[in-house]
PDB file of all heavy atoms in Angstrom:
ATOM      1  N   GLN A  14      65.238  76.569  69.567  1.00 97.00           N
ATOM      2  CA  GLN A  14      65.338  77.390  68.458  1.00 97.00           C
ATOM      3  C   GLN A  14      64.770  76.607  67.271  1.00 97.00           C
ATOM      4  O   GLN A  14      64.064  77.116  66.437  1.00 97.00           O
ATOM      5  CB  GLN A  14      66.762  77.803  68.174  1.00 97.00           C
ATOM      6  CG  GLN A  14      67.275  78.815  69.159  1.00 97.00           C
ATOM      7  CD  GLN A  14      68.714  79.098  69.006  1.00 97.00           C
ATOM      8  OE1 GLN A  14      69.438  78.375  68.310  1.00 97.00           O
ATOM      9  NE2 GLN A  14      69.125  80.218  69.571  1.00 97.00           N
ATOM     10  N   LEU A  23      59.033  72.989  75.981  1.00 98.00           N
ATOM     11  CA  LEU A  23      59.903  71.932  75.564  1.00 98.00           C
ATOM     12  C   LEU A  23      60.101  70.897  76.698  1.00 98.00           C
ATOM     13  O   LEU A  23      60.074  69.689  76.483  1.00 98.00           O
ATOM     14  CB  LEU A  23      61.227  72.479  75.049  1.00 98.00           C
ATOM     15  CG  LEU A  23      62.227  71.383  74.594  1.00 98.00           C
ATOM     16  CD1 LEU A  23      61.645  70.532  73.451  1.00 98.00           C
ATOM     17  CD2 LEU A  23      63.526  72.023  74.098  1.00 98.00           C
ATOM     18  N   ARG A  39      72.666  63.142  83.275  1.00 95.00           N
ATOM     19  CA  ARG A  39      71.750  64.097  83.659  1.00 95.00           C
ATOM     20  C   ARG A  39      71.404  65.082  82.447  1.00 95.00           C
ATOM     21  O   ARG A  39      70.455  65.874  82.505  1.00 95.00           O
ATOM     22  CB  ARG A  39      72.244  65.002  84.811  1.00 95.00           C
ATOM     23  CG  ARG A  39      72.348  64.132  86.099  1.00 95.00           C
ATOM     24  CD  ARG A  39      72.811  64.945  87.204  1.00 95.00           C
ATOM     25  NE  ARG A  39      71.994  66.025  87.483  1.00 95.00           N
ATOM     26  CZ  ARG A  39      72.192  66.945  88.441  1.00 95.00           C
ATOM     27  NH1 ARG A  39      73.226  66.753  89.193  1.00 95.00           N
ATOM     28  NH2 ARG A  39      71.363  67.966  88.608  1.00 95.00           N
ATOM     29  N   ALA A  40      72.168  64.973  81.406  1.00 96.00           N
ATOM     30  CA  ALA A  40      71.961  65.848  80.237  1.00 96.00           C
ATOM     31  C   ALA A  40      70.876  65.240  79.381  1.00 96.00           C
ATOM     32  O   ALA A  40      70.670  64.124  79.186  1.00 96.00           O
ATOM     33  CB  ALA A  40      73.245  65.916  79.461  1.00 96.00           C
ATOM     34  N   GLU A  49      62.699  66.814  63.330  1.00 95.00           N
ATOM     35  CA  GLU A  49      62.070  67.109  62.028  1.00 95.00           C
ATOM     36  C   GLU A  49      60.922  66.052  61.726  1.00 95.00           C
ATOM     37  O   GLU A  49      59.938  66.410  61.243  1.00 95.00           O
ATOM     38  CB  GLU A  49      63.161  67.143  60.885  1.00 95.00           C
ATOM     39  CG  GLU A  49      64.092  68.324  61.069  1.00 95.00           C
ATOM     40  CD  GLU A  49      65.295  68.215  60.154  1.00 95.00           C
ATOM     41  OE1 GLU A  49      65.342  67.259  59.265  1.00 95.00           O
ATOM     42  OE2 GLU A  49      66.188  69.066  60.308  1.00 95.00           O
ATOM     43  N   ALA A  50      61.151  64.811  62.082  1.00 95.00           N
ATOM     44  CA  ALA A  50      60.092  63.779  61.856  1.00 95.00           C
ATOM     45  C   ALA A  50      58.870  64.100  62.757  1.00 95.00           C
ATOM     46  O   ALA A  50      57.732  63.868  62.372  1.00 95.00           O
ATOM     47  CB  ALA A  50      60.661  62.413  62.206  1.00 95.00           C
ATOM     48  N   GLY A  73      62.762  54.111  58.796  1.00 61.00           N
ATOM     49  CA  GLY A  73      62.577  54.792  57.532  1.00 61.00           C
ATOM     50  C   GLY A  73      61.208  54.870  57.005  1.00 61.00           C
ATOM     51  O   GLY A  73      60.951  55.355  55.916  1.00 61.00           O
TER      52      GLY A  73
END
Side-chain angles (χ1 to χ4, degrees):
Q14 291 174 342
L23 182 57
R39 292 179 59 181
E49 290 169 11

